[in-house]
Amino acid sequence: MKALILVGGLGTRLRPLTLSVPKPLVEFANKPMILHQIEALKAIGVTEVVLAINYQPELMLNLKEFEKKLEIKITFSQETEPLGTAGPLALARDKLIDDSGEPFFVLNSDVISEYPLKQMIDFHKAHGGEASIMVTKVDEPSKYGVVVMEESTGKVERFVEKPKTFVGNKINAGIYLLNPSVIDRIELRPTSIEKEVFPKIAADNKLYAMVLPGFWMDIGQPRDYIAGLRLYLDSLRKKSSTKLATGPHIVGNVLVDETAKIGEGCLIGPDVAIGPGCIVESGVRLSRCSVMSGVRIKQHACISSSIIGWQSTVGRWARVENLTILGEKVQVYDEIYTNGGVVLPYRVIKSSILKPEIVM
C-alpha cells in the first residue's frame, strides 16, 4: 500500500521557523511534523510514502535518512510550479498506481491526530465507493468549508464554504483514502482536490466521509501549533504515559528529550516539549510552549504560550509569552519582556517587545 503526503507549501504562517527549514521538518513534540504521519502510515502496513515537494527540495531530501530507521520506502515527486492539492496526485501518477489496484492514502502535512488509518481502510472497503475522506467536528463551522453528509452511511452530499446558516459541523480533516481511478479525474495543472475533484465524486454518489475519532488539529500556524501540542500530549498520556516526564518539578503533561538538562527549582508544565540538547537552568518556569533542540534558558526565565527556535538563548529573568515565536539562534538579553514578538533568525533582542510585532 502507498501514500502521498502534500508538503509543497511555503509555510508562511509558521515563519520565522520556516525560514530555516521547510514546514514538514519543523519539530512538533520533539520530532519533525511529517515523521508523525510517516510512522502512522508504516504502522498500518504502508510500504511506500511519496512526498510531493516544492519549497526547499534539497532540505526535504534529508528525510531519506529515515528510510532505514523506519523500514519504509520514501520517494519524492517534485513540482516545478505549485500544483495545489490535486495536481500533485497527477504528477505522481506513476509512483502511486501499480498493478495491485489498491487504494492509496493522501495526507496534508499540517494535520496532527491519532491517525485512525486502519479504521479508515475498513470503512473504505465497506462502502465500496471511489473515495473516502476523514472529517472532524468543530464548534464554529462558519469558519470552514462544511461537509454535508448522510449520518447513517457517511455518503457526502455536498460541500458548503463558510456557511452563513447552520448546515452541519463537520469539516475536511485533510486525510483521504482514494481509489486509483480518482487520478483519472485530475489534470496535470494547479488544481484543488477539495473544490474541484471531491464535489464531482460526490455528485456521482461515490464519496464517503468518516468522522475522525479522537483529537485533530491543523498545526500550520503558531496558535494552533500550541493548541495541538496540548491535544497531542493529552493523547500520549492516555496511550503511552511512560514517554512523559515525571518528578516534583513537572506539572501536567510534559515531554523532555533524554539529552536535555533541567536545573533545580524549575517548574515545567503543563503542555511543554523540551527538545534534544536543551539546557534549562535553575528556577525556570515553562508552560504551554515548545522548546526546540539546543536552546539554553537561563536562570529564572519564564516562558509561556510560545515557541523557542533551535539554539536560541533566553536570558536570566526574561519573560517570553503570548505567542512569541523565536527563530533559529535568537538571543534574548537578561530581564527582557517579549509580548507576542515574532523574531527572525539570528537576531539579538536587547529591549523589550511590549506588543505583538515582527522583529526584523
Side-chain angles (χ1 to χ4, degrees):
M1 197 170 190
K2 298 183 179 183
L4 180 137
I5 303 178
L6 297 164
V7 296
L10 296 178
T12 53
R13 295 179 302 166
L14 264 187
R15 287 179 179 168
L17 302 173
T18 50
L19 296 173
S20 297
V21 300
K23 181 172 56 178
L25 298 183
V26 172
E27 284 95 337
F28 176 83
N30 291 352
K31 58 182 154 185
M33 286 184 190
I34 199 169
L35 207 53
H36 292 273
Q37 299 185 331
I38 295 174
E39 288 176 349
L41 291 164
K42 163 69 178 176
I44 54 97
V46 170
T47 56
E48 180 177 354
V49 174
V50 181
L51 303 182
I53 61 176
N54 181 350
Y55 177 58
Q56 292 182 311
E58 67 285 351
L59 292 177
M60 290 301 300
L61 293 173
N62 292 336
L63 282 166
K64 289 291 282 186
E65 69 183 73
F66 293 109
E67 270 194 327
K68 286 185 179 179
K69 180 181 176 183
L70 298 177
E71 297 181 332
I72 188 169
K73 185 177 180 182
I74 299 175
T75 57
F76 300 88
S77 176
Q78 185 174 345
E79 304 169 20
T80 55
E81 63 169 332
L83 290 173
T85 52
L89 277 69
L91 185 65
R93 167 190 285 271
D94 293 342
K95 299 178 187 294
L96 292 171
I97 295 180
D98 54 28
D99 296 334
S100 70
E102 285 285 307
F104 57 89
F105 282 101
V106 176
L107 287 80
N108 290 340
S109 65
D110 294 356
V111 170
I112 195 82
S113 75
E114 292 176 359
Y115 303 115
L117 304 179
K118 177 65 170 63
Q119 297 98 302
M120 194 174 194
I121 293 172
D122 295 339
F123 173 77
H124 187 76
K125 289 179 178 177
H127 68 63
E130 191 175 5
S132 299
I133 66 173
M134 200 89 77
V135 295
T136 187
K137 296 178 182 178
V138 293
D139 294 330
E140 296 184 55
S142 60
K143 291 181 177 180
Y144 306 92
V146 172
V147 181
V148 181
M149 53 187 272
E150 289 181 4
E151 294 297 326
S152 58
T153 64
K155 184 188 288 185
V156 175
E157 297 174 353
R158 68 189 194 280
F159 298 85
V160 182
E161 190 65 29
K162 296 182 179 178
K164 296 283 193 298
T165 58
F166 184 83
V167 294
N169 65 344
K170 300 176 186 70
I171 66 167
N172 183 345
I175 302 173
Y176 319 129
L177 187 56
L178 311 177
N179 287 353
S181 57
V182 171
I183 295 185
D184 295 332
R185 296 175 175 266
I186 303 170
E187 297 178 27
L188 184 52
R189 60 175 177 82
T191 320
S192 167
I193 197 167
E194 300 87 354
K195 295 179 179 179
E196 297 179 61
V197 179
F198 286 156
K200 291 178 181 177
I201 302 176
D204 292 339
N205 295 312
K206 294 180 178 180
L207 181 66
Y208 290 78
M210 170 183 156
V211 179
L212 184 145
F215 80 94
W216 175 90
M217 184 61 69
D218 178 334
I219 56 173
Q221 56 187 346
R223 186 179 300 278
D224 295 335
Y225 179 106
I226 297 293
L229 183 62
R230 176 182 62 81
L231 296 171
Y232 174 84
L233 293 176
D234 187 53
S235 175
L236 197 61
R237 166 74 65 189
K238 296 170 184 173
K239 290 190 166 188
S240 189
S241 61
T242 56
K243 293 181 179 179
L244 295 173
T246 57
H249 61 296
I250 299 295
V251 179
N253 299 327
V254 175
L255 190 65
V256 180
D257 187 87
E258 59 184 11
T259 63
K261 296 179 180 179
I262 297 178
E264 295 182 359
C266 293
L267 191 58
I268 311 295
D271 309 322
V272 172
I274 300 174
C278 290
I279 297 174
V280 180
E281 296 183 3
S282 61
V284 166
R285 177 71 175 104
L286 303 177
S287 63
R288 299 179 304 281
C289 62
S290 179
V291 181
M292 296 185 177
S293 60
V295 166
R296 186 181 195 100
I297 303 173
K298 295 186 177 181
Q299 295 174 10
H300 303 291
C302 179
I303 299 173
S304 65
S305 301
S306 297
I307 304 173
I308 311 301
W310 311 270
Q311 300 177 60
S312 290
T313 301
V314 177
R316 294 179 184 85
W317 294 100
R319 188 175 185 92
V320 178
E321 63 185 21
N322 192 23
L323 287 179
T324 291
I325 315 297
L326 303 185
E328 182 182 12
K329 294 184 178 178
V330 167
Q331 184 179 357
V332 177
Y333 271 31
D334 295 349
E335 301 181 12
I336 290 297
Y337 172 59
T338 169
N339 173 28
V342 175
V343 185
L344 271 58
Y346 307 103
R347 299 303 187 266
V348 177
I349 305 302
K350 298 180 181 180
S351 57
S352 293
I353 302 170
L354 300 179
K355 59 182 181 180
E357 62 178 277
I358 297 173
V359 181
M360 305 295 283

